[in-house]
Amino acid sequence: MLLCLVGQATNAQVSFERLVNADDEPQNWLTYSGSYASQRHTLLREIRPGNVDDLELKWIFQAQSLEAFETTPLVVDGIMYLTEAPNTAIAVDAASGRVFWRYQHDASAEARPCCGRVNRGLGILGDKVFMATLDAELIALDTTTGQPVWRNSVADPSLGYAMTLAPLVIKDKVIVGVAGGEFGIRGFIAAYDADTGEEVWRFHTIPAPGEPGFETWEDGGDAWMHGGGSVWLTGSYDPELNLTYWGIGNPGPDWNPAQRPGDNLYSDSVVALNADTGELEWHFQFTPNDPYDYDAVQIPVLVDLETDEFSSGKLMLWGNRNGFFYVLDRVTGTFLDGTPFVKLNWASGLDEAGRPYETPQGTEAVTYPGVQGGTNWYSPSYNPNTGLFYLTAWENYGHIFQPVEVDYQPGRNFGGGTLAGPIAGAANVPGFGRQPINNWTDAVGNGAVIAIDPSTGEQVWRFPTTDVSHSGVLTTATNLLFTGSREGYFYALDARSGEMLWRTSLGGQGSNGPMSYAIDGRQYIAVAMGNSLFVFGLPGD
């Protein structure tokens, strides 16, 4: 329902051409990751290492929700569009925070997300913004009024289907994926007509009998029907190749692979789809027959980098939840390199094709990384100036995985196992939410921001934090890096060295990816911490 209309926002329509050429207007932030390449890198230059210490708070937007604030705002011609959990879309003046309109979708009581009632943002095209909802609906809203233009039911929430991602708009299509792998769904990615909401194509991430990849579900029964393969983070797009890339989640049941023998395609993979038809062009699987819940839904970062090691020049960089950093050829999906970036013992390395040499630890020993992975959904960044890839990592963090036989029941948890911490009787690293009292120690894990050289896989620097973090990373053309932390700090680091240049305490955990935009030549940095969006700029009007 429309809660209030307190103003009117007017702006030029956002064409597909503007989305393709987003780097030509760095004052705006047009997609979830800033551009189709998903580098989460701004070309704005007003804020620099020499003046970042002068940053001051310009305005705050306080969410009406106490759920995790994971949105990345869009900014178009001075108007900011954002979401607050679970499903409220809002338009505000990006210079002052004044609200223009607010639209709240009340999700069905049948919605049952596994891991928080969250929403990560919007897509935009023409005069509409698009919101994916917790009860698996896709809604188009008028950018000026916030009124619904159309809505479409994508899947049945009573079976565990949900959507928490920001839609990706390509040409005249709005592309989304479904969450719900912990409930035995059969995942898919689908495209909808931006004008009408009608479904245009659908790609199932778990193949059916007769489809390529079905042979990797070797049980001969119906495991594929409840095979998971959820898609809960936004993909990327290469306009030249007309390929869109999406990370696929874990197979189901999560922790009992004996119930689903085989590699279980296309779980724990990246898939490259024809953006017009949804047809699969290639795939690469990171963790075959995954028994650890190592979703491969992380953001595919597209980079043009021709070196002696990577002669094709068209690369995909991937900091995977399984603890390896990968370099792939994004034209063919060919594995080029893979290097651990955190402590891991579930595999001893990768073969020439990128397949892991698995080293299972059993049901009594600690497996590294733990169930949350070496990294997770929080966005990485790539800085073309430094040539470095940056990600938030959970280090020295493990779990004991204990499989349990489980029967599929519609809409019920389909985890298939239990988890134990590495130290008996001690608190483990907290899950998705920061606890009021910190009762764990570095013995069970710590956090860091890590800079990786893609050409070698080597870590160039690491910035340790006293807690693990859910914050994404933003880099700038002036070689700054912005990130948050779970202890409530917002940092600016030197992207070349990792040196801390500025820090402020915002009193809540960082759970989104910072972003940047400009109005009248003045650059702003926005970050969601706790239950508020904080916007910083340099002194002046």
Side-chain angles (χ1 to χ4, degrees):
M1 62 178 176
L2 189 66
L3 294 183
C4 59
L5 185 62
V6 296
Q8 273 201 320
T10 58
N11 57 282
Q13 292 195 359
V14 179
S15 64
F16 171 62
E17 288 71 25
R18 290 184 70 182
L19 296 175
V20 169
N21 299 298
D23 285 345
D24 292 342
E25 43 183 298
Q27 73 277 13
N28 293 320
W29 191 272
L30 300 179
T31 69
Y32 174 73
S33 297
S35 70
Y36 282 138
S38 298
Q39 295 180 6
R40 200 167 282 263
H41 176 78
T42 178
L43 297 177
L44 296 174
R45 291 181 166 274
E46 185 189 21
I47 300 172
R48 309 179 302 276
N51 62 20
V52 68
D53 197 46
D54 296 326
L55 281 179
E56 61 184 27
L57 186 62
K58 294 299 184 181
W59 57 268
I60 303 172
F61 173 84
Q62 296 186 358
Q64 303 300 304
S65 168
L66 296 181
E67 303 284 351
F69 202 4
E70 298 185 0
T71 188
T72 293
L74 304 179
V75 172
V76 183
D77 304 329
I79 308 300
M80 176 182 287
Y81 304 94
L82 69 155
T83 57
E84 62 180 40
N87 283 126
T88 299
I90 303 157
V92 305
D93 185 332
S96 67
R98 181 170 70 95
V99 175
F100 292 118
W101 56 254
R102 176 185 177 90
Y103 175 83
Q104 178 176 311
H105 170 73
D106 295 322
S108 166
E110 294 184 325
R112 55 197 72 194
C114 77
C115 311
R117 296 170 60 81
V118 301
N119 184 278
R120 297 186 175 92
L122 303 164
I124 191 166
L125 182 71
D127 57 1
K128 293 185 282 293
V129 292
F130 306 93
M131 179 171 64
T133 74
L134 212 60
D135 54 351
E137 290 197 359
L138 182 60
I139 303 175
L141 304 172
D142 185 281
T143 55
T144 301
T145 66
Q147 293 278 8
V149 179
W150 55 256
R151 59 194 297 170
N152 194 342
S153 177
V154 173
D156 185 352
S158 71
L159 298 178
Y161 288 92
M163 293 196 293
T164 58
L165 79 175
L168 181 67
V169 176
I170 298 176
K171 299 182 181 178
D172 58 351
K173 300 175 183 65
V174 185
I175 305 177
V176 294
V178 290
E182 283 67 30
F183 295 94
I185 68 163
R186 182 187 178 206
F188 62 86
I189 303 163
Y192 296 85
D193 186 282
D195 286 331
T196 67
E198 295 180 1
E199 184 175 306
V200 179
W201 56 254
R202 178 175 293 204
F203 171 79
H204 279 284
T205 60
I206 306 298
E211 296 177 349
F214 177 72
E215 69 280 1
T216 66
W217 294 81
E218 298 175 0
D219 73 315
D222 63 355
W224 66 276
M225 296 177 64
H226 317 300
S230 56
V231 184
W232 47 276
L233 282 183
T234 307
S236 305
Y237 175 61
D238 185 325
E240 182 179 339
L241 300 173
N242 196 35
L243 293 180
T244 182
Y245 308 96
W246 295 78
I248 312 302
N250 60 279
D254 298 37
W255 303 306
N256 191 357
Q259 288 190 232
R260 43 172 174 81
D263 284 356
N264 303 150
L265 290 176
Y266 296 96
S267 70
D268 289 274
S269 302
V270 54
V271 296
L273 307 180
N274 181 296
D276 295 330
T277 65
E279 294 180 358
L280 179 68
E281 296 291 333
W282 60 258
H283 76 277
F284 177 84
Q285 189 173 44
F286 301 99
T287 313
N289 191 237
D290 173 19
Y292 311 114
D293 195 7
Y294 288 159
D295 289 87
V297 299
Q298 296 76 48
I299 304 295
V301 179
L302 311 185
V303 172
D304 293 333
L305 179 65
E306 187 171 350
T307 68
D308 292 338
E309 296 83 4
F310 310 132
S311 58
S312 78
K314 289 187 173 296
L315 306 181
M316 176 185 293
L317 309 183
W318 199 294
N320 197 271
R321 184 166 166 174
N322 69 14
F324 284 97
F325 168 73
Y326 294 82
V327 182
L328 305 178
D329 184 313
R330 72 173 184 268
V331 180
T332 64
T334 302
F335 169 78
L336 300 175
D337 195 22
T339 311
F341 63 88
V342 292
K343 177 181 179 179
L344 60 84
N345 64 2
W346 70 274
S348 61
L350 305 172
D351 69 15
E352 291 185 356
R355 188 180 181 92
Y357 297 109
E358 297 190 42
T359 52
Q361 302 300 301
T363 60
E364 302 298 327
V366 180
T367 297
Y368 294 91
V371 69
Q372 297 295 335
T375 191
N376 206 302
W377 65 268
Y378 14 93
S379 294
S381 178
Y382 175 77
N383 185 338
N385 297 332
T386 64
L388 300 179
F389 177 89
Y390 307 87
L391 81 167
T392 300
W394 286 25
E395 300 181 315
N396 306 308
Y397 160 65
H399 267 118
I400 300 171
F401 293 86
Q402 300 168 325
V404 174
E405 188 79 13
V406 61
D407 293 326
Y408 172 74
Q409 299 179 54
R412 301 289 295 274
N413 185 277
F414 195 53
T418 61
L419 303 172
I423 302 175
N428 201 352
V429 173
F432 288 106
R434 180 77 157 97
Q435 304 302 311
I437 299 174
N438 184 353
N439 60 354
W440 62 276
T441 70
D442 281 353
V444 290
N446 57 277
V449 177
I450 298 174
I452 298 173
D453 183 345
S455 64
T456 64
E458 295 181 355
Q459 295 186 19
V460 177
W461 58 256
R462 61 182 293 275
F463 177 79
T465 56
T466 59
D467 196 343
V468 293
S469 177
H470 287 129
S471 178
V473 176
L474 169 74
T475 59
T476 77
T478 57
N479 295 324
L480 290 172
L481 181 151
F482 289 93
T483 191
S485 68
R486 193 140 75 172
E487 64 261 52
Y489 291 118
F490 185 44
Y491 298 97
L493 311 179
D494 188 311
R496 298 160 294 190
S497 66
E499 176 188 359
M500 185 176 69
L501 303 177
W502 173 79
R503 184 182 77 173
T504 187
S505 179
L506 299 178
Q509 74 172 23
S511 292
N512 87 328
M515 51 82 69
S516 187
Y517 63 96
I519 298 174
D520 297 329
R522 306 304 302 270
Q523 184 180 359
Y524 298 86
I525 305 290
V527 64
M529 303 279 287
N531 304 111
S532 297
L533 181 77
F534 298 86
V535 179
F536 292 88
L538 294 173
D541 296 334

